[in-house]
Every structure is written in C-alpha cells, then in structure tokens.
Amino acid sequence: MSHEVSEVPIRDESIRLGQLLKLAGVVENGAIAREVIDSSGVRVDGEVETRRGAQIKRGQLVEFNGEPFGLPGARLMPVGD
C-alpha cells in the first residue's frame, strides 16, 4: 500500500465515509463501498470503521487496504476545497 497521503477536497466540514471513497476514486459505486467497509477493509485514524455513513471530518486519515478486494490501497485525507 502506498505511504503517500492523497488529499481529497470536500466542500463541507465533513463527508460520509462511503462518499469519500467514491469521490477519491477508490471504489466505483456505493455497493462496492458498502462491501469493503462491511468487510473491515477501512480504517479511520487507525481504527477499523464499519459504518458507511460515518462522518469523516477534514484532517482525519482514512486508510483503505484494497488488495483483498482487487482494488488499489489508498491513504486519504479530506481537506477544504
């Protein structure tokens, strides 16, 4: 997995986890986002997050280990636009 953090611009102070993954291009759609989140494939600030609707605030680190899902890994941080 890449150690580089990709900054993802968001309009508001927070974004739902599933939306962030889609916006960043890590997953193609909400169904895939739900699958990887339900499978404990996503961490927020080092803790496994299993709620697709979890609110991710600017500056939080989201880590997605995509390998078991055939997708690339990613380290994302939402920032202001």
Side-chain angles (χ1 to χ4, degrees):
M1 180 165 55
S2 170
H3 293 287
E4 188 173 318
V5 176
S6 297
E7 292 184 345
V8 182
I10 61 173
R11 291 181 303 204
D12 300 316
E13 293 298 315
S14 65
I15 187 171
R16 290 178 191 226
L17 179 57
Q19 292 174 329
L20 177 65
L21 295 177
K22 289 188 296 184
L23 180 63
V26 175
V27 298
E28 288 185 25
N29 57 52
I32 295 172
R34 178 176 43 246
E35 182 178 328
V36 298
I37 294 168
D38 286 349
S39 298
S40 302
V42 179
R43 292 181 175 269
V44 177
D45 292 336
E47 299 293 323
V48 172
E49 180 57 75
T50 57
R51 299 171 297 144
R52 184 173 57 143
Q55 291 293 319
I56 307 302
K57 297 181 177 93
R58 292 180 185 175
Q60 286 188 290
L61 179 64
V62 175
E63 298 176 279
F64 171 64
N65 182 1
E67 294 173 19
F69 308 101
L71 300 167
R75 291 168 52 94
L76 310 170
M77 181 173 293
V79 297
D81 47 333

